[in-house]
Amino acid sequence: MLLAEHSRAHDLRRVAARAARTPGVRIGTVPGVGHHSLPYSRTDELGRQVLGFLNP
């Protein structure tokens, strides 16, 4: 699960804590972006983290 550090749509800590209780879930945070800007901002960081999830 990738979370946006400055999301106003979700409480980052709450979502991460709940997701962490699910076996096999890995959680990452893209720094410096909000929920809606996640796909458009910090694309280098987003791409790096997505590739990291796909190639553990």
Side-chain angles (χ1 to χ4, degrees):
M1 171 181 284
L2 278 176
L3 300 168
E5 178 184 39
H6 298 298
S7 177
R8 293 189 320 183
H10 306 287
D11 180 320
L12 182 70
R13 283 171 271 169
R14 195 169 167 188
V15 171
R18 185 165 184 146
R21 290 183 266 176
T22 304
V25 170
R26 291 185 294 151
I27 303 163
T29 302
V30 179
V33 299
H35 175 81
H36 296 289
S37 66
L38 182 63
Y40 309 107
S41 302
R42 305 283 316 262
T43 54
D44 56 333
E45 176 67 16
L46 179 61
R48 185 185 68 72
Q49 288 209 36
V50 168
L51 289 175
F53 278 102
L54 296 175
N55 299 309

